[in-house]
Amino acid sequence: MEFNYTTAVLALIVFSLMLMVIRLRFDVRQLREEIDRIAAGPRFHRSPASGMADPEPRASRPAAGGEEKLRDLVARGRKIEAIKEAREMYNMSLKDAKDYVESL
C-alpha cells in the first residue's frame, strides 16, 4: 500500500478543523455563561423625565444581603468603599455602581 501525501494532508486539515470547532463550542459556552451572569445583575435605565439613571423598581434589584452591606458602609461614611463593593458584587461600571449606591 502506497503512502498518499494528499490523503495525509486532508486528514490533517480535517483534524485541525475539528479541533477548531471544539474550541469554538467551548468559547460559546463561556460567553453564554458570562452573558447570563451579567444579565442577572442589577439593571439601570434612564428616566425620561429627569434624564438621570434611576434603578429599576425594588423588586428587580439585587438580593437584600448585598444592599444591607452597602447601606451599612454608606451609613458609616464609607461611600467610596460601598461603590467598590457594588462594582465587585454586581459587576457594574463605576457610574452604575455610584448611581446604585446613591439610590440606596
Side-chain angles (χ1 to χ4, degrees), residues 66-86 89 101:
E67 279 188 7
E68 292 304 317
K69 181 177 181 181
L70 298 176
R71 280 193 181 113
D72 182 51
L73 288 170
V74 171
R76 291 188 287 156
R78 300 169 74 183
K79 184 177 172 184
I80 293 174
E81 190 174 331
I83 293 170
K84 288 179 182 178
E85 281 290 322
M89 282 193 288
V101 168

Side-chain angles (χ1 to χ4, degrees), residues 7-68:
T7 305
V9 169
L10 287 176
L12 185 60
I13 290 172
V14 169
F15 181 73
S16 297
L17 289 173
M18 288 174 53
L19 289 177
M20 284 185 217
V21 168
I22 292 169
R23 174 65 185 184
L24 287 173
R25 291 176 90 185
F26 178 75
D27 290 345
V28 167
R29 187 178 318 126
Q30 282 187 321
L31 289 172
R32 283 185 181 155
E33 290 172 1
E34 181 73 11
I35 289 169
D36 290 342
R37 187 181 61 77
I38 291 170
R43 297 183 187 117
F44 290 84
H45 66 278
R46 288 209 170 269
S47 170
S50 67
M52 302 279 295
D54 294 329
E56 287 183 341
R58 191 164 287 281
S60 65
R61 284 193 177 181
E67 279 188 7
E68 292 304 317

